[in-house]
Amino acid sequence: MAKRRGFLYPSFDIYGGAAGFYDYGPLGAALKLNIENTWRRFYVLGEGFGEIFCPAVAPEEVFIASGHVKEFTDFVVECKQCGNPFRADHLIEEKGFKLEHKSKEAMDKIIADAKIRCLTCGGELGEAHPVNLMFNTKIGVGKSKNAYLRPETAQGMFLNFSFLYRHFRERLPFGAVQIGKGYRNEISPRQGLIRLREFSMAEAEVFFDPQDKRHPKFAHMKSVKATLVPATTRDPIEMALGDALSQGIMKNEALAYYVALTHQFLTSVGIDNKRLRFRQHEKNEMAHYANDCWDAEVMLEKLGWIEIVGIADRSAYDLSSHMKMSGVDLTAMRKYDAPRTVEKIVVKPKMKELGQKYKKDAGEIKKALENADVGSGKSDVGSGMSEAGIEVEVGGNKMTIPREFYEVAKVQETVYGERFVPHVIEPSYGIDRIFYSAMDHAFSRTKSEDGEEYTVLRLAPQVAPVKVGIFPLMCKDGLDNIAEEIDQKLRAAGIECQYDDSGSIGRRYARMDEIGTPWCVTVDFDTLKDGTVTVRDRDTKEQGRVKIDELTGLFRSKLGA
Amino acid sequence: MAKRRGFLYPSFDIYGGAAGFYDYGPLGAALKLNIENTWRRFYVLGEGFGEIFCPAVAPEEVFIASGHVKEFTDFVVECKQCGNPFRADHLIEEKGFKLEHKSKEAMDKIIADAKIRCLTCGGELGEAHPVNLMFNTKIGVGKSKNAYLRPETAQGMFLNFSFLYRHFRERLPFGAVQIGKGYRNEISPRQGLIRLREFSMAEAEVFFDPQDKRHPKFAHMKSVKATLVPATTRDPIEMALGDALSQGIMKNEALAYYVALTHQFLTSVGIDNKRLRFRQHEKNEMAHYANDCWDAEVMLEKLGWIEIVGIADRSAYDLSSHMKMSGVDLTAMRKYDAPRTVEKIVVKPKMKELGQKYKKDAGEIKKALENADVGSGKSDVGSGMSEAGIEVEVGGNKMTIPREFYEVAKVQETVYGERFVPHVIEPSYGIDRIFYSAMDHAFSRTKSEDGEEYTVLRLAPQVAPVKVGIFPLMCKDGLDNIAEEIDQKLRAAGIECQYDDSGSIGRRYARMDEIGTPWCVTVDFDTLKDGTVTVRDRDTKEQGRVKIDELTGLFRSKLGA
């Protein structure tokens, strides 16, 4: 149905296709775009976050710092005979074995013990070894730069942290979001839209002061109810997020707020609340950067429970790593209510004496002395200072500089605040999976008037690709011209329509039901008399007559636009 | 300004940046998105074309067929000393030489004669050689597939031609569009947004019957005036497109229609008509696939005339190439007004005789006989049939099957039409360049009340990133609460706002003018009395009082939404 009706096409089909890639056809692209725009209404208009766009190609430094060069791997086993590669954990689970720990040793043992062989030729399999999942490329020619296609959009927000912090006038919390492509060179993808090599994601990175993970708007959300599956009990329980927080199931307001917001967003694009739950990650399944993580999971007809959103507390991991790797300051300032005066110890090197004794090293020793850890005003002995003098490192050598080469003084300094590395809460949405889930949950069967069974896609009107089907009862007496005018008028008002004049009205209703169009307008002979048309509702099948002039307003208000 | 105000950030800045990449900050992303959505209003809602999304990574067959593996190259010279590469034509033009033909010989000669040396180290330069500009990568591990990042989105529409043709119920003309990323691994990009390695494009591929390049809606466009620069005269002339067509300056209605539509689109996103022209390509500058091509060019403050849109007649090039490469039929059907009856010759193999003589080859020979070229009803000798029999190829061997093994009969067949390869008209838009041009043409300077000069970005309201600035005159007596409520209400209605309570009202107006916000709302003490606020217009600087309840309606109607 998805292919026949123009929702999805297999990519590169005329060349035999390529696993892990899908094309969105005209209806699919419209549905996907409507989901993304609904997300923008929540996160950009609603939360006031800044949307940015960063390139999908990025130099390797970015992914060394983010940990992806080292950690973004899957274990692969290759057939010794035909060379075909398999993702080890998937292969083992497919064969019906349970894998508690995804270690090389555990996987090699199961494959050997159970004598699992190549799925293609039956050959013997080699040992499991990690393979990086990023697509690799090079920027420039000649002395080119190694680069990767990003596996997530998040790094763009971290790299721009300082620009964004200034844009938001140096106040926390603030958020930056990005909707864009991510890439993952899967070993052997086989689940269609659920496991793509090129996919769309919508990610928000919300920067918090680690000492204050309250959310300013949590009061609006505390009565939102969702089904939670805590890691402690593993039992699903429906509860208000305010209660989850007070009972300690949610670690902080920020996490609880984004679980609630995600619940609101997903149900607004048509995910069925009864087939939606939020599951907390177990300690050993968390990504290398995460501190706590809740996944939104949906129940799908053929695939069972599938993750579609991850809401992670990434702590200070990302900004700290980029600070270390780039040497650039990515801290924020926690302002004091009033400026404070603090006493500080400063070391004043005696240059003349230093020069005489240490010659060409004197300059470096001076710098090292000035930066030495000599304690605060309260104690004049820091870890770097002892009775013998100050320990410094110059040109890789440690040495102790005796007291005669410097003076120690106490000075008063005005301090306005202290610097810290912000923590990040990240709600990360898999758009293709949400698309697939919205289709899956909208799918239903109904009977036509003459008893024939057919598909109705009960998509939420806000995301339906076509909002209104427009039919002339017959192509005569100008009914078709009136219908075409209505089509043009609604399009000009930004409402997606589809004109259809072929087949019986029942057949045309069925065609619109099948692609999820919420309303249909029929121009008939009464239209010529009184200027009204029939408006039919997809779900209730009710029909009513409406003046042509009132159609734009009617559909706009139904769409909440 | 673009960086300070959050329009653009240099990508990977903390790692020293990478030429040819740019990040869009919160305001830039909003402006870019508004330009793309305006484009959708023209092409998807207005023209009724189908929008699709295809992956940016594609296997190499696609680009062998499209010609990009062979032809998508630039000539490069490398320094013999330091190895730095330069794009030969740019280097020559930068040094003030005119290059009539971009051949290897011509470029080598100029570089040698003029003794052009390495820009980095002054070393001697090697010979010019072609370098492919596609980013290369691999799909999968082990026996992986060679792949490229697409240099244009167009191929997606060609690969899906048959799906789309069916979606549009097999009627021409129809169009498919895509907004997405394109990649071009430039040798040494140096013009910021004008020459990016990763860029956004919006492309429409409109499929026509080559015998009929009329456009059904051309009548609406014939009086649209644009400045044209024909290849024949090279002189700019402003004229109506209907006249350009009747005078033969435009080759067909389809091209003329998309020039007119492009003119309407560009001016609606704020391109100044006086700094916009359409230039026809000279024969030798056309891309390898083009039949005729008109570029929309804009005059930019610092860069002169720059191409931002190309409107090309690609003829049958693309579909024909993919048919040849894939062996899949990508034709359309030209229906006859009435079905025709034609006489056809059919070959009926005698299976018993074939089996006795040819044994295991009999099956294949049967098939070959049935498909042999035996001529039409008018002449019963096709190229494959002679007195001796029918020549067939079986298992790579040619052989002649004598008459005794088959019968020839004439049959009547009803034919509904004939098949042909559609032609393509392609309007292709560079979104980043349009973004840059809209900023450039909107830029102006004005004076504040106290005589200070500052920047006003006169962006078209439809594309401005922030539509309304919302200010409380002071943060007291609840003025700030009222202002915040207005902010929330307009956001909920889909209107982007910015709340600002810091500095004088004049300073806040200036801040909004600088980012192109068309309107500002101020809540003052009169608001408490009569429920009205001041609405100020960016361009006229006029102010008027409006009831709070009427604000949503007012801005919606100003935005034409």
Side-chain angles (χ1 to χ4, degrees):
Chain A
M1 201 283 286
K3 178 170 148 190
R4 186 167 45 88
R5 286 293 171 220
F7 282 91
L8 292 169
Y9 302 138
S11 297
F12 322 120
D13 191 49
I14 66 170
Y15 293 110
F21 295 94
Y22 255 96
D23 289 356
Y24 285 84
L27 296 178
L31 172 54
K32 176 171 183 270
L33 213 48
N34 291 339
I35 291 172
E36 291 175 356
N37 285 333
T38 304
W39 195 88
R40 285 194 172 97
R41 273 187 102 103
F42 275 82
Y43 276 91
V44 183
L45 278 166
E47 297 293 295
F49 290 172
E51 181 170 9
I52 66 173
F53 295 129
C54 305
V57 172
E60 69 178 348
E61 295 96 305
V62 175
F63 303 112
I64 293 172
S66 71
H68 285 97
V69 167
K70 242 194 194 156
E71 316 258 3
F72 192 63
T73 55
D74 274 342
F75 277 98
V76 172
V77 287
E78 271 146 33
C79 173
K80 287 180 178 174
Q81 216 160 284
C82 74
N84 260 358
F86 301 92
R87 191 169 147 177
D89 56 344
H90 284 185
L91 185 64
I92 288 168
E93 279 160 9
E94 244 170 68
K95 290 286 175 185
F97 297 93
K98 195 125 182 80
L99 195 59
E100 275 297 316
H101 296 280
K102 294 191 178 182
S103 68
K104 172 183 158 46
E105 291 70 27
M107 292 193 276
D108 281 343
K109 191 169 176 331
I110 295 180
I111 289 173
D113 290 355
K115 297 199 173 66
I116 298 175
R117 316 273 293 191
C118 172
L119 295 184
T120 317
C121 77
E124 201 185 321
L125 296 170
E127 283 185 21
H129 57 99
V131 167
N132 195 287
L133 298 176
M134 284 190 290
F135 281 95
N136 188 213
T137 191
K138 291 195 184 310
I139 299 172
V141 298
K143 292 182 299 183
S144 58
K145 224 175 171 161
N146 204 20
Y148 295 99
L149 302 190
R150 65 182 178 195
E152 54 173 23
T153 68
Q155 299 307 320
M157 281 72 107
F158 303 137
L159 297 187
N160 284 310
F161 172 76
S162 296
F163 293 133
L164 293 164
Y165 183 50
R166 230 168 301 144
H167 182 79
F168 285 98
R169 302 196 189 172
E170 312 198 343
R171 262 180 251 161
L172 296 186
F174 74 83
V177 308
Q178 195 169 178
I179 299 182
K181 292 290 186 72
Y183 295 83
R184 195 182 157 105
N185 201 357
E186 294 281 354
I187 309 305
S188 45
R190 252 172 296 169
Q191 282 181 295
L193 279 197
I194 301 300
R195 200 164 291 283
L196 289 172
R197 282 170 161 152
E198 174 168 338
F199 47 87
S200 290
M201 52 204 314
E203 294 191 298
E205 310 300 322
V206 200
F207 298 97
F208 282 87
D209 182 335
Q211 291 180 4
D212 184 7
K213 289 189 185 171
R214 285 175 307 166
H215 193 287
K217 292 197 288 180
F218 185 67
H220 299 303
M221 289 293 194
K222 65 183 183 199
S223 57
V224 172
K225 279 189 173 181
T227 301
L228 304 178
V229 187
T232 44
T233 62
R234 300 191 186 185
D235 275 333
I237 174 171
E238 192 181 17
M239 65 194 306
L241 283 152
D243 297 336
L245 185 71
S246 60
Q247 292 174 29
I249 294 172
M250 287 281 159
K251 276 195 194 161
N252 56 55
E253 265 187 27
L255 271 174
Y257 181 86
Y258 293 108
V259 166
L261 194 71
T262 298
H263 189 274
Q264 290 190 331
F265 164 73
L266 290 176
T267 50
S268 85
V269 299
I271 300 298
D272 177 13
N273 179 34
K274 291 189 210 71
R275 286 177 268 179
L276 168 64
R277 68 182 189 191
F278 290 83
R279 192 178 64 79
Q280 188 178 24
H281 275 211
E282 318 258 329
K283 270 269 168 280
N284 66 358
E285 88 184 292
M286 238 156 351
H288 59 274
Y289 46 73
N291 186 1
D292 191 13
C293 188
W294 288 80
D295 284 349
E297 297 183 332
V298 290
M299 173 53 99
L300 299 180
E301 173 119 23
K302 286 185 188 145
L303 299 164
W305 288 102
I306 289 282
E307 173 203 349
I308 59 174
V309 182
I311 301 162
D313 183 338
R314 295 173 73 126
S315 72
Y317 175 83
D318 306 280
L319 291 179
S320 301
S321 305
H322 284 300
M323 271 181 78
K324 208 186 286 173
M325 179 92 184
S326 68
V328 173
D329 179 33
L330 300 175
T331 58
M333 161 84 103
R334 187 181 299 123
K335 282 194 189 105
Y336 297 136
D337 294 334
R340 296 183 193 171
T341 305
V342 293
E343 258 189 359
K344 217 182 136 183
I345 293 181
V346 292
V347 175
K348 295 181 179 173
K350 296 180 183 169
M351 270 320 283
K352 207 176 118 197
E353 287 82 348
L354 276 175
Q356 281 168 354
K357 168 118 198 227
Y358 296 99
K359 316 281 181 213
K360 68 173 178 43
D361 286 339
E364 275 213 52
I365 291 173
K366 170 176 179 277
K367 259 192 246 164
L369 285 174
E370 285 168 350
N371 292 321
D373 172 18
V374 290
S376 67
K378 282 168 200 153
S379 142
D380 68 350
V381 180
S383 62
M385 182 150 67
S386 66
E387 283 302 306
I390 295 175
E391 188 175 292
V392 296
E393 197 178 312
V394 172
N397 298 320
K398 283 191 178 172
M399 55 173 96
T400 300
I401 310 295
R403 284 222 166 205
E404 61 207 83
F405 293 101
Y406 59 86
E407 279 171 9
V408 172
K410 283 187 184 173
V411 295
Q412 305 256 318
E413 207 174 37
T414 308
V415 181
Y416 297 90
E418 54 200 11
R419 303 206 72 89
F420 62 95
V421 182
H423 277 204
V424 170
I425 306 280
E426 175 196 78
S428 171
Y429 295 67
I431 296 293
D432 312 275
R433 291 184 173 198
I434 294 171
F435 170 96
Y436 184 89
S437 309
M439 296 271 287
D440 185 281
H441 286 194
F443 187 86
S444 72
R445 303 282 291 174
T446 193
K447 273 190 178 148
S448 68
E449 278 171 26
D450 38 332
E452 216 179 311
E453 226 197 24
Y454 70 95
T455 297
V456 182
L457 218 47
R458 300 192 192 281
L459 293 172
Q462 284 75 5
V463 299
V466 178
K467 310 301 187 201
V468 190
I470 296 172
F471 317 145
L473 184 66
M474 296 182 188
C475 284
K476 68 177 202 182
D477 297 334
L479 299 186
D480 45 348
N481 295 334
I482 297 172
E484 275 171 5
E485 271 166 35
I486 294 172
D487 179 69
Q488 289 301 318
K489 213 168 112 184
L490 289 178
R491 281 171 182 275
I495 297 169
E496 299 84 352
C497 304
Q498 197 159 301
Y499 175 91
D500 188 357
D501 59 16
S502 78
S504 72
I505 291 291
R507 187 71 209 96
R508 289 184 246 172
Y509 281 154
R511 225 181 266 143
M512 285 296 132
D513 287 349
E514 203 179 4
I515 63 169
T517 305
W519 306 291
C520 292
V521 162
T522 306
V523 176
D524 56 22
F525 293 104
D526 285 347
T527 310
L528 299 176
K529 284 180 233 157
D530 62 7
T532 65
V533 292
T534 303
V535 174
R536 182 256 197 182
D537 184 281
R538 177 193 66 202
D539 298 331
T540 64
K541 294 186 182 173
E542 272 169 25
Q543 304 189 3
R545 294 202 71 90
V546 177
K547 285 221 154 85
I548 290 177
D549 289 345
E550 291 166 7
L551 286 174
T552 308
L554 173 74
F555 293 128
R556 275 208 171 147
S557 78
K558 277 177 186 283
L559 291 165
Chain B
M1 200 284 286
K3 179 169 146 188
R4 186 166 46 86
R5 286 292 171 220
F7 281 91
L8 292 169
Y9 302 137
S11 296
F12 322 119
D13 192 48
I14 66 170
Y15 293 110
F21 295 95
Y22 255 96
D23 289 356
Y24 285 84
L27 296 177
L31 173 55
K32 175 170 184 272
L33 213 48
N34 291 338
I35 290 171
E36 292 175 356
N37 285 333
T38 304
W39 194 88
R40 285 194 172 98
R41 272 187 102 101
F42 274 81
Y43 276 91
V44 183
L45 278 166
E47 297 294 294
F49 290 172
E51 180 170 10
I52 66 173
F53 296 128
C54 305
V57 171
E60 71 178 346
E61 295 96 304
V62 175
F63 303 111
I64 293 172
S66 72
H68 285 98
V69 167
K70 242 193 192 156
E71 316 258 2
F72 192 63
T73 54
D74 274 341
F75 277 98
V76 172
V77 286
E78 271 146 34
C79 173
K80 287 180 179 175
Q81 217 159 285
C82 73
N84 260 357
F86 301 93
R87 189 169 148 177
D89 56 344
H90 284 184
L91 184 66
I92 288 168
E93 279 160 10
E94 244 170 67
K95 290 286 175 185
F97 297 93
K98 195 129 181 76
L99 195 59
E100 275 296 315
H101 296 281
K102 295 191 178 181
S103 68
K104 171 182 158 50
E105 292 70 27
M107 292 193 276
D108 282 342
K109 191 170 177 331
I110 294 180
I111 289 173
D113 290 355
K115 297 199 173 70
I116 298 176
R117 316 275 290 192
C118 172
L119 294 184
T120 316
C121 77
E124 202 183 322
L125 296 170
E127 282 186 22
H129 58 98
V131 167
N132 195 287
L133 298 176
M134 284 191 290
F135 281 94
N136 189 211
T137 190
K138 291 196 185 309
I139 299 172
V141 298
K143 292 181 298 184
S144 57
K145 223 173 172 164
N146 204 20
Y148 295 99
L149 301 190
R150 66 181 177 195
E152 55 173 22
T153 69
Q155 299 308 320
M157 280 74 105
F158 303 138
L159 296 187
N160 284 310
F161 173 76
S162 295
F163 293 133
L164 293 164
Y165 183 50
R166 230 168 301 144
H167 183 78
F168 284 99
R169 303 197 188 171
E170 312 199 342
R171 262 178 250 162
L172 296 186
F174 73 84
V177 309
Q178 195 169 175
I179 300 182
K181 291 291 186 71
Y183 295 83
R184 197 182 155 104
N185 201 357
E186 294 280 353
I187 310 306
S188 44
R190 251 173 298 171
Q191 281 181 296
L193 279 198
I194 301 301
R195 201 163 289 285
L196 290 172
R197 282 170 160 152
E198 174 169 338
F199 46 87
S200 291
M201 53 204 315
E203 294 190 299
E205 310 300 322
V206 200
F207 298 96
F208 282 87
D209 182 336
Q211 291 181 5
D212 183 7
K213 289 188 185 171
R214 285 173 309 165
H215 194 286
K217 293 197 287 180
F218 186 68
H220 300 302
M221 288 293 195
K222 65 183 184 197
S223 57
V224 172
K225 279 187 174 184
T227 301
L228 304 178
V229 187
T232 44
T233 62
R234 300 190 185 186
D235 275 333
I237 174 171
E238 193 182 17
M239 67 194 305
L241 282 152
D243 296 338
L245 185 70
S246 59
Q247 292 173 29
I249 293 172
M250 288 280 160
K251 277 195 194 163
N252 57 56
E253 266 187 27
L255 271 174
Y257 180 86
Y258 293 108
V259 166
L261 194 71
T262 298
H263 190 274
Q264 290 190 330
F265 164 73
L266 290 175
T267 51
S268 84
V269 298
I271 300 298
D272 178 12
N273 180 33
K274 293 190 208 71
R275 287 177 268 178
L276 169 63
R277 70 183 188 190
F278 290 83
R279 193 178 63 79
Q280 188 178 25
H281 275 211
E282 319 257 328
K283 270 269 168 279
N284 66 358
E285 92 185 287
M286 240 159 343
H288 59 274
Y289 47 73
N291 185 3
D292 191 14
C293 188
W294 288 80
D295 284 348
E297 297 183 332
V298 290
M299 172 55 98
L300 298 180
E301 173 119 24
K302 286 185 188 144
L303 299 164
W305 288 102
I306 290 282
E307 173 202 349
I308 59 174
V309 182
I311 302 161
D313 183 339
R314 295 172 75 126
S315 71
Y317 174 82
D318 305 281
L319 292 179
S320 301
S321 305
H322 284 299
M323 270 181 79
K324 209 187 287 173
M325 179 92 183
S326 69
V328 174
D329 178 34
L330 300 174
T331 58
M333 161 85 102
R334 187 180 299 124
K335 284 197 187 102
Y336 297 136
D337 294 335
R340 296 181 193 174
T341 305
V342 293
E343 258 189 0
K344 217 183 136 184
I345 293 181
V346 292
V347 175
K348 296 182 179 171
K350 297 181 182 166
M351 271 319 283
K352 204 176 118 197
E353 286 82 348
L354 276 174
Q356 282 167 356
K357 167 122 198 222
Y358 296 99
K359 316 279 179 214
K360 68 173 177 39
D361 286 339
E364 274 211 53
I365 291 173
K366 171 178 178 277
K367 259 191 247 162
L369 285 174
E370 284 169 348
N371 293 321
D373 172 17
V374 290
S376 66
K378 282 166 200 154
S379 141
D380 68 351
V381 181
S383 62
M385 181 150 68
S386 67
E387 284 301 308
I390 295 176
E391 189 174 292
V392 296
E393 198 178 310
V394 173
N397 299 319
K398 283 189 179 170
M399 54 174 96
T400 301
I401 310 297
R403 287 221 164 202
E404 61 209 82
F405 293 101
Y406 59 87
E407 279 170 11
V408 171
K410 281 187 185 172
V411 294
Q412 304 258 320
E413 207 176 39
T414 308
V415 181
Y416 298 89
E418 54 199 11
R419 304 207 71 89
F420 62 94
V421 181
H423 276 205
V424 170
I425 305 280
E426 175 196 78
S428 170
Y429 294 68
I431 296 293
D432 312 274
R433 291 184 173 198
I434 293 170
F435 171 97
Y436 184 90
S437 309
M439 295 272 287
D440 185 281
H441 285 194
F443 187 87
S444 71
R445 303 283 292 172
T446 193
K447 272 188 179 149
S448 68
E449 277 171 24
D450 38 331
E452 216 180 310
E453 225 197 24
Y454 70 95
T455 296
V456 182
L457 218 47
R458 299 191 193 283
L459 293 172
Q462 284 76 5
V463 298
V466 179
K467 309 302 186 200
V468 190
I470 296 173
F471 317 145
L473 184 65
M474 295 180 188
C475 284
K476 67 177 203 183
D477 298 335
L479 299 187
D480 44 350
N481 295 336
I482 297 172
E484 274 171 6
E485 271 166 35
I486 294 172
D487 178 69
Q488 288 302 318
K489 212 168 115 184
L490 290 178
R491 281 171 183 275
I495 298 169
E496 299 85 352
C497 304
Q498 197 159 302
Y499 174 91
D500 189 358
D501 60 17
S502 79
S504 71
I505 291 290
R507 185 73 210 93
R508 289 183 246 172
Y509 280 154
R511 226 180 265 143
M512 285 295 132
D513 286 350
E514 204 179 4
I515 63 169
T517 305
W519 307 291
C520 292
V521 162
T522 305
V523 176
D524 56 23
F525 293 105
D526 286 348
T527 309
L528 299 176
K529 283 181 234 156
D530 61 7
T532 66
V533 292
T534 303
V535 175
R536 182 256 198 183
D537 184 281
R538 177 194 66 201
D539 298 331
T540 64
K541 293 186 182 174
E542 272 169 24
Q543 305 189 1
R545 293 201 72 90
V546 177
K547 284 218 155 83
I548 290 176
D549 289 343
E550 290 166 6
L551 286 174
T552 307
L554 173 74
F555 294 127
R556 275 208 171 151
S557 79
K558 277 177 186 282
L559 290 166

